[in-house]
């Protein structure tokens, strides 16, 4: 299947990337998320840079696997394991310590990372820090376009992933940032936050090519519950325009397309 499914869904503005969790090394839980994402026909699975996590996900899904990190050599290792794509910009570990990434720091990490992995020809997405002002974002995006980055991702800094007001605040900031970024570039733009089905619809209605879903799924313990949540999200965007309605005309074709 490879990364082509993810790229196709981005073009059709319906990509749903399921993140297993920035600190999640519980292999049983990770396996449940991977199987649920596969069964519900998500677009990709995003993981931390951990070989056991990668191997567990690879055994439990045929979906593209994307590794998320801000450490160039971690990303290189993951590419050598066989991941399908990389997400440069897992800034949460810094935010927890009260630190922020500058545009220059982000660019330096990207340059170093691309120098290490360019020969592997993997899909590269970069998260634009929410802390950057508009001009810094514009300048950074222009540099990323020149480097040949495939996509960018908007984020929303949140103080908590468990308090409802913080989750809503994060979703609002993420969607606002995504809308702004999409006006600056022709690259696909994803939005990342603790999204539910309603937030996901708002994101796509405002022009997102894709959504990265984390807390709404990885907070759950039951694989059946995970699958149900992801399935509702997939269904909510699959028929959002005439292109998608004509894309696959039967459930049998839909199943064969993914397997």
């Amino acid at each position: 299947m490879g990364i082509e499914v993810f790229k196709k869904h981005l073009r059709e503005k319906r990509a749903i990337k399921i993140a297993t969790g920035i600190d999640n090394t519980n292999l049983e839980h990770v396996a449940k998320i991977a199987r649920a994402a596969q069964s519900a026909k998500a677009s990709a699975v995003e993981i931390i840079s951990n070989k056991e996590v990668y191997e567990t996900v690879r055994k439990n899904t045929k979906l593209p696997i994307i590794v998320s990190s801000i450490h160039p050599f971690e990303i290189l290792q993951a590419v050598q394991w066989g991941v399908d794509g990389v997400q440069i910009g897992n800034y949460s570990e810094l935010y927890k310590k009260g630190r922020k990434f500058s545009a220059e720091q982000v660019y330096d990490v990207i340059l170093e990372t691309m120098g290490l992995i360019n020969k592997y020809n993997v899909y590269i997405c970069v998260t634009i820090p929410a802390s950057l002002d508009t001009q810094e974002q514009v300048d950074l995006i222009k540099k990323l376009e020149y480097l040949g980055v495939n996509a960018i991702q908007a984020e929303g800094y949140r103080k908590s992933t468990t308090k409802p007001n913080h989750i809503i605040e994060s979703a609002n900031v993420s969607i606002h940032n995504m809308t702004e970024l999409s006006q600056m570039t022709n690259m696909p733009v994803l939005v990342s936050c603790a999204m539910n089905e309603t937030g996901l619809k708002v994101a796509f209605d405002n022009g997102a090519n894709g959504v990265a879903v984390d807390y709404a799924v990885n907070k759950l313990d039951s694989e059946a519950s995970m699958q149900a949540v992801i399935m509702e999200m997939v269904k909510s965007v699959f028929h959002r325009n005439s292109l998608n309605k004509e894309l696959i005309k039967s459930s049998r074709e839909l199943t064969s397309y993914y397997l």
Side-chain angles (χ1 to χ4, degrees):
M1 177 182 306
I3 199 66
E4 293 305 317
V5 166
F6 184 60
K7 291 163 66 175
K8 181 179 179 65
H9 290 186
L10 284 173
R11 290 194 300 270
E12 294 165 357
K13 295 194 171 186
R14 63 184 182 97
I16 298 177
K17 178 176 63 172
I18 306 300
T20 59
I22 59 171
D23 299 313
N24 191 3
T25 56
N26 182 325
L27 300 183
E28 181 180 356
H29 190 245
V30 165
K32 290 179 182 178
I33 296 173
R35 290 193 297 267
Q38 168 81 29
S39 299
K41 300 175 177 59
S43 308
V45 177
E46 180 179 299
I47 64 170
I48 61 172
S49 184
N50 178 290
K51 191 171 185 179
E52 287 185 316
V53 170
Y54 165 72
E55 290 174 344
T56 297
V57 173
R58 185 60 84 191
K59 289 176 183 176
N60 284 278
T61 184
K62 295 180 181 179
L63 294 176
I65 300 175
I66 298 171
V67 71
S68 176
S69 177
I70 56 171
H71 302 295
F73 280 95
E74 279 190 358
I75 293 173
L76 172 61
Q77 283 184 322
V79 170
Q80 291 172 337
W81 300 334
V83 297
D84 303 287
V86 301
Q87 179 70 47
I88 304 173
N90 188 340
Y91 307 119
S92 299
E93 62 186 80
L94 299 179
Y95 295 153
K96 289 177 182 179
K97 300 174 184 176
R99 296 169 56 197
K100 296 180 181 178
F101 249 45
S102 68
E104 291 78 11
Q105 288 173 311
V106 173
Y107 187 62
D108 287 345
V109 168
I110 295 162
L111 277 181
E112 184 177 357
T113 302
M114 293 187 72
L116 293 170
I117 69 172
N118 262 348
K119 68 178 182 180
Y120 294 95
N121 194 32
V122 297
Y123 196 83
I124 300 173
C125 183
V126 174
T127 299
I128 306 300
S131 57
L132 301 184
D133 64 36
T134 301
Q135 190 57 51
E136 288 177 318
Q137 292 182 20
V138 171
D139 293 342
L140 179 58
I141 289 170
K142 287 180 179 178
K143 291 178 180 177
L144 299 183
E145 288 175 332
Y146 180 77
L147 289 175
V149 167
N150 300 106
I152 56 176
Q153 182 167 290
E155 66 166 4
Y157 169 66
R158 59 180 179 269
K159 302 172 185 176
S160 168
T161 58
T162 58
K163 296 181 180 179
N165 60 321
H166 291 162
I167 294 172
I168 293 170
E169 176 188 359
S170 172
N172 289 338
V173 172
S174 295
I175 292 170
H176 172 76
N177 289 343
M178 177 276 302
T179 304
E180 294 290 318
L181 294 180
S182 65
Q183 296 172 1
M184 302 178 191
T185 182
N186 291 321
M187 288 187 290
V189 181
L190 294 93
V191 57
S192 171
C193 68
M195 240 227 226
N196 58 20
E197 185 183 345
T198 301
L200 179 140
K201 287 181 179 179
V202 173
F204 281 111
D205 286 344
N206 280 274
N209 294 87
V211 168
V213 179
D214 49 22
Y215 180 69
V217 174
N218 60 48
K219 70 176 181 179
L220 304 171
D221 292 321
S222 161
E223 184 176 330
S225 298
M226 294 174 185
Q227 182 178 336
V229 167
I230 300 170
M231 181 68 77
E232 284 304 309
M233 292 180 178
V234 171
K235 287 168 58 179
S236 73
V237 298
F238 184 73
H239 292 299
R240 60 188 301 272
N241 58 46
S242 58
L243 171 65
N244 293 337
K245 289 178 182 178
E246 295 299 322
L247 180 64
I248 298 173
K249 301 181 185 300
S250 73
S251 59
R252 183 177 180 181
E253 290 179 46
L254 177 62
T255 300
S256 64
Y257 177 72
Y258 279 89
L259 296 180

